[in-house]
Amino acid sequence: AMDNYDITKAVRKLQAFILEDLSNWYVRLCRARFWKGEMDDDKAAAYSTLYETLSATVRAMAPFAPLLSDAVHVRLAEAAGDPAPASVHLSDFPEVSDAAVDAGLEEDMSAVRSVVALGRAARNESGLKVRQPLARLFVAGLSERARAGVERLAGLVLSELNVKEIEWTEADALCARTAVPVFPALGPK
């Protein structure tokens, strides 16, 4: 989008990444890792990943929010003891590394996030808080590929929705269909 000077699209993608992927997903998933007492390898890895992500995000948003991105960049560098440039505007723009992209994992995580989002919506509609544990989560309507991904990352679904197990079923088993004629639309006998 930046190469095509489509600023609106670029900013919207950046905003969606910050709000959904980073804040609402990664940071929430890693809260326990961030809050544990000792600085072990797992906690260091979580902080390192967050730092690298924030650093790249700040550099990507520099053309749109120059003052904010510069202030965040300086604070990140100070907190990490990083000898980064004095300004984000003196840093290189982040580059995508195709070697670091795992398309299969991204597809699996997308399926997991969809199941979690639908599970949360069902909990909200029913008035059940996430803190209340549930015995089962019924899942239907996924392709075989998406199901395999959800099964591979089932621990995330179970912990995010606070359920004990995932049960796979067909959509027909979860709902009953009835047909009711609309007589004004049917017309005269």
Side-chain angles (χ1 to χ4, degrees):
M2 289 288 293
D3 290 340
N4 295 327
Y5 296 104
D6 190 350
I7 305 302
T8 303
K9 186 176 183 181
V11 170
R12 285 187 179 149
K13 285 187 176 207
L14 192 58
Q15 180 183 15
F17 171 75
I18 293 168
L19 293 176
E20 294 301 319
D21 298 337
L22 187 59
S23 297
N24 288 340
W25 189 251
Y26 180 76
V27 172
R28 191 180 65 243
L29 282 178
C30 291
R31 279 187 297 208
R33 294 170 72 189
F34 294 141
W35 291 345
K36 43 173 137 168
E38 70 281 352
M39 179 58 92
D40 59 358
D41 289 341
D42 183 50
K43 186 174 182 175
Y47 276 128
S48 178
T49 301
L50 183 60
Y51 173 78
E52 290 298 323
T53 304
L54 287 173
S55 177
T57 303
V58 165
R59 286 182 281 140
M61 68 185 249
F64 316 115
L67 299 176
L68 175 66
S69 61
D70 199 43
V72 173
H73 172 78
V74 168
R75 290 203 180 163
L76 278 173
E78 287 173 358
D82 190 11
S87 172
V88 71
H89 305 291
L90 299 175
S91 301
D92 292 331
F93 200 73
E95 294 289 328
V96 176
S97 171
D98 291 332
V101 175
D102 185 345
L105 179 60
E106 286 187 10
E107 190 175 329
D108 293 349
M109 190 59 74
S110 177
V112 166
R113 289 181 65 179
S114 294
V115 168
V116 168
L118 290 171
R120 284 198 178 160
R123 274 185 171 270
N124 286 341
E125 189 175 313
S126 301
L128 297 170
K129 303 266 185 209
V130 176
R131 283 184 241 146
Q132 180 181 351
L134 298 175
R136 286 186 307 271
L137 169 69
F138 291 98
V139 180
L142 292 180
S143 68
E144 288 300 317
R145 172 71 181 100
R147 179 178 174 168
V150 171
E151 287 175 344
R152 186 167 79 106
L153 301 171
L156 287 174
V157 176
L158 296 175
S159 67
E160 281 296 296
L161 294 176
N162 196 10
V163 295
K164 303 293 181 209
E165 66 176 319
I166 297 173
E167 190 170 315
W168 299 95
T169 186
E170 295 299 320
D172 293 338
L174 297 175
C175 62
R177 296 182 187 165
T178 59
V180 178
V182 179
F183 292 111
L186 290 175
K189 291 183 184 179

